Amino acid sequence: MDEVKVVVAHSERATLRVGDVFLKVDGDQARIDAEVEAMGLAPVPTPEVLWRTPPVLAIAPVPGRALGRLGEATTATPSAWAAAGAAVRKLHDAPLPARTGRAGRGVDELTAELDGECEWLVTNGVLPTDLVTRNRKVAQAALRPWTPAFTHGDLQIAHVFIAGDDEVTGIIDWSEAGRGDALYDLATLTLGHEDHLGDVVAGYGADVDLDVVRAWWSLRSLLGVRWLIDHGFDPSAPGCEVDVLRARMTG
């Protein structure tokens, strides 16, 4: 029998690997629907859907290796990061999907959520007040009008696969995809790896407001700390969300 490996698991969903098949188990069928639809529309390499029997989606692995992981040093070359940027630009230039994705939340909704999370972080002593206050100020630049793009919505570096120095072989985990702010994707891709932002932007090939990308680093990290803690992850691990917030104190 093939060994069953838990790739990631928490109270909302789980991904298992059995031999050469990934099984995604999700009680929210809307997320699975969105993922399958987005993979069919995206003009970039995506995993092959093998079969689907709710609540399970079976997909084939993509070749290559992940661009990196949050909290770990990456061995990917500047060319690989630039190739990822070029693939993201191709996605952002594609025809818009009907659905609004994770990156498409409105300014009012985001502001209310952000202020609520900042209050919780301070009131419960999770993070120092000055750290939260500084990053809330930085995050403000992301709260502005934007032109909708076809966004991935959860473009962590672990979701982008590379072969050789500069071939993107697949982008995985599309459940948050839809219309959204393009700079949210660029910020998610470079979160914790800001030294590679220039490589990504070079491959992206368009003017990018770097202050907004940095604002999304702060905003995404502030919003993520409680969720990570509640789901058994450590946002204070080296190189992860709390370190991203600390970097803004001197940036």
Side-chain angles (χ1 to χ4, degrees):
M1 277 185 73
D2 290 319
E3 180 183 5
V4 177
K5 178 181 178 181
V6 178
V7 179
V8 63
H10 49 76
S11 61
E12 294 180 359
R13 67 190 90 166
T15 300
L16 312 174
R17 181 165 187 168
V18 184
D20 288 333
V21 177
F22 286 93
L23 302 176
K24 304 191 72 172
V25 184
D26 196 325
D28 184 346
Q29 287 308 293
R31 277 197 294 255
I32 295 294
D33 291 343
E35 180 155 13
V36 172
E37 179 182 5
M39 288 192 294
L41 294 173
V44 295
T46 62
E48 176 190 0
V49 175
L50 300 176
W51 51 265
R52 180 183 179 192
T53 304
V56 181
L57 173 67
I59 60 176
V62 297
R65 65 192 184 283
L67 187 62
R69 294 189 182 280
L70 182 63
E72 299 179 7
T74 176
T75 59
T77 65
S79 296
W81 284 91
V88 177
R89 175 65 186 278
K90 188 174 183 180
L91 174 66
H92 290 168
D93 285 345
L96 292 173
R99 179 180 181 270
T100 297
R102 181 70 174 171
R105 288 169 292 171
V107 171
D108 291 344
E109 177 187 351
L110 273 173
T111 300
E113 183 180 357
L114 179 59
D115 289 342
E117 288 302 300
C118 288
E119 181 180 1
W120 182 87
L121 292 169
V122 171
T123 300
N124 290 279
V126 177
L127 294 176
T129 300
D130 60 342
L131 184 65
V132 174
T133 301
R134 167 60 179 163
N135 279 276
R136 175 62 182 87
K137 182 177 180 180
V138 172
Q140 185 63 35
L143 301 171
R144 87 277 179 232
W146 39 265
T147 301
F150 188 160
T151 54
H152 180 278
D154 191 20
L155 198 65
Q156 304 173 42
I157 54 172
H159 293 165
V160 179
F161 282 71
I162 299 284
D165 279 341
D166 59 1
E167 179 189 0
V168 175
T169 54
I171 299 177
I172 66 172
D173 284 1
W174 291 82
S175 60
E176 306 288 355
R179 294 172 181 248
D181 180 359
L183 298 192
Y184 180 93
D185 274 353
L186 294 181
T188 304
L189 179 63
T190 54
L191 185 76
H193 292 275
E194 58 188 76
D195 52 327
H196 290 289
L197 177 58
D199 299 324
V200 170
V201 171
Y204 193 73
D207 289 337
V208 171
D209 190 330
L210 300 183
D211 287 339
V212 174
V213 173
R214 296 184 184 103
W216 271 119
W217 289 339
S218 290
L219 202 161
R220 194 182 191 283
S221 297
L222 287 168
L223 293 184
V225 169
R226 178 169 20 177
W227 187 95
L228 291 165
I229 293 171
D230 287 348
H231 290 81
F233 301 103
D234 183 7
S236 297
C240 294
E241 283 78 5
V242 174
D243 276 353
V244 171
L245 296 172
R246 288 177 179 144
R248 305 281 72 75
M249 299 298 286
T250 57

